[in-house]
Amino acid sequence: MGTNLTTTKRTEPIVASSDSIRIIIDSRPYEAPKRRLTGAQLRALLDPVAETIWLDVPDAQDHLVGDAETIALKDGVRFFTDRALIIYIDKVPYQIRSTSITEDQLRALPQPPIPESHGVWKDVQDDLDDPIRDGEVVTIADEDRFFSRPVTVRIIVNRKPVTLSGRLHAGQQIKDAAIAQGVAISADFLLLRKKAKNFMPVGDDEQIRVHRDDEFRAVNGDDNS
């Protein structure tokens, strides 16, 4: 769609004025030269020019802006388009057509997908890189860069620290790791995970995502007090 040459239609020229304000299109800031622009003029701010543009309406359905429709602008108003965006994951380019993406969708872009043994970070220039949290919805801008690397997660089993490689583990794997790191339990103990104020059972074959300082108990038989 991005290569469809629909931009031959002439649009009214934009003349800069003292009313110039900053708007956001596809997560990038642009200087709008005046406070009222048509859809065609908004599209023309972009290079390459977008085929369509929407007004981002918070907590409501977004509005498709027609070419001849005039929009009254204010600082910080957001728009998005159907332009393909290029992002990089571990230096490999990927094309997406959305200004937001979930953590799971981001992981699934490479083939094979980024494994659960790895975390994902957004490369922030001249600042600390931003770790992408489980289930996070990530705002995307063109040329954004991400990278992955192996992670370890420290959890607590019977009040003792246990380090796991990666985030996705079965209950039995957690018990085996705890035993290997000196926690005095047996492989057939019942594993419980703390949720709020309660401990909930985790099956031996049940796959769960662990987080830093998650608290577990491993108890003998039915003793889950």
Side-chain angles (χ1 to χ4, degrees), residues 101-123:
I101 189 171
T102 67
E103 179 249 355
D104 283 338
Q105 291 170 331
L106 192 63
R107 284 178 172 275
L109 285 175
Q111 291 299 319
I114 298 171
E116 290 288 345
S117 59
H118 288 52
V120 182
W121 282 259
K122 184 176 182 178
D123 188 359

Side-chain angles (χ1 to χ4, degrees), residues 26 37 77 135 204:
D26 290 341
L37 294 179
V77 66
D204 286 351

